[in-house]
Amino acid sequence: MNEQLEIADPRRREFVQVAAAVAATLMAGAGTVQTAAARTMPSRAAAPLGPIKQVDAGVLKIGYVDMGPASGAPILLFHGWPYDIHAFAEVAPLLVAKGHRVIIPHLRGHGTTVFRSASDPRNAQQAALGADGIALMDALGIRQAVVAGFDWGARTADIMAALWPERCKALVSVSGYLIGSQAGNAKPLPPAQELQWWYQFYFATERGKAGYAANTNAFNRQIWQLASPQWKFDDATFERSAASFANPDHVAIVIHNYRWRLGLAEGERKFDDLEAKLAAGPPITIPSITMEGDANGAPHPDPTMYRAKFTGPYDHRLITGGIGHNLPQEAPAAFAQAVLHAAKLA
């Protein structure tokens, strides 16, 4: 009876296939180029993330998922925009299966993460998001963790690793070193590169702010398609994450993030010292793995441009097979394998 149920249940069968893929890559060892496993796995195969918990952390009440044994070595996974915690729905069970405690927070302006005070600025400068990660660790009593992410989440993890290396055991960062500065962002780029940032310039206008507020889901679905042109996600997969865009501060946070980058919006003075350190381009000294998909349609630096920023044990992995910007969701086995390997490098 149990054998028949296991064979007949496609969710169980697909999860076992992904787990087997991770085991195979672990046995094979690290490689510069890897072919993604289970990229076409349908959304129904995603294991439930579990209940959303809330914790007061700094200025936020952060919504997060906490999976695996409380005694397990902790891993923090940070999503990007316009995505949410479900980017790690297939990654988390693979890490838990290896005995890790996996914590996946909603970034400010997403899901159930809200500001504790109505008077706090809806600020999304880079230092604020990095400080959110440390505040979450403090609130949960976590001294040190592996940190990993993509897009905004990769930048958050990079900042944590650069400014608080004693708190970060190892790092996995999709698209590498994403720490920047307002001064650096002020420099014009060649036209082809500027074209990729069309939404940044759109958000710089009041028309863009109103347009994003009026068409949030349609806008974000278009970003998904442009950033991952070969990812054939279904409606259910998108709608699952789109629920997180209904956050009352979502539009304000997204608009501020991109306006701050261009120097069109002020940050908070309390972050001035941190931003000064980040503007200097601090090296990342902890064990690190950077990753890139071979079909990333979003703006991203060439790996040779940031290699020197990583001065500790290091590996870069190109994931082939039409993998776009949302690497953890498009190639969950490859991302999980990188996180597990980074933990071993520490």
Side-chain angles (χ1 to χ4, degrees), residues 220-240:
N220 289 345
R221 188 180 186 107
Q222 180 168 306
I223 294 293
W224 278 36
Q225 292 166 340
L226 292 174
S228 300
Q230 297 185 43
W231 182 31
K232 305 306 179 184
F233 60 88
D234 57 22
D235 290 342
T237 298
F238 177 77
E239 293 300 330
R240 185 177 57 180

Side-chain angles (χ1 to χ4, degrees), residues 273-342:
D273 288 346
L274 295 182
E275 291 295 353
K277 293 177 181 178
L278 295 174
I284 293 177
T285 60
I286 66 172
S288 301
I289 294 177
T290 59
M291 307 183 73
E292 193 58 81
D294 65 338
N296 186 356
H300 60 279
D302 186 278
T304 59
M305 296 177 61
Y306 54 72
R307 172 62 185 92
K309 290 295 185 181
F310 296 91
T311 59
Y314 177 77
D315 184 26
H316 176 76
R317 300 180 181 187
L318 174 65
I319 311 303
T320 64
I323 302 304
H325 191 59
N326 185 0
L327 196 152
Q329 198 161 0
E330 298 176 62
F335 189 83
Q337 188 269 336
V339 174
L340 292 170
H341 186 69

Side-chain angles (χ1 to χ4, degrees), residues 46-99:
L49 279 175
I52 304 295
K53 300 181 179 181
Q54 300 289 139
V55 65
D56 290 345
V59 299
L60 301 174
K61 185 180 290 291
I62 295 180
Y64 67 102
V65 168
D66 193 343
M67 300 174 62
S71 60
I75 295 171
L76 271 63
L77 303 177
F78 297 99
H79 67 82
W81 171 86
Y83 308 95
D84 83 331
I85 61 175
H86 290 97
F88 302 105
E90 286 82 34
V91 171
L94 300 174
L95 302 177
V96 169
K98 294 294 184 180

Side-chain angles (χ1 to χ4, degrees), residues 8-26:
D9 184 351
R11 291 178 54 145
R12 171 64 177 167
R13 181 170 60 251
E14 287 159 352
F15 177 82
V16 170
Q17 290 171 348
V18 177
V22 170
T25 54
L26 283 173

Side-chain angles (χ1 to χ4, degrees), residues 124-140:
Q125 69 184 106
Q126 61 178 354
L129 273 72
D132 288 346
I134 296 299
L136 176 62
M137 292 178 67
D138 289 344
L140 298 180

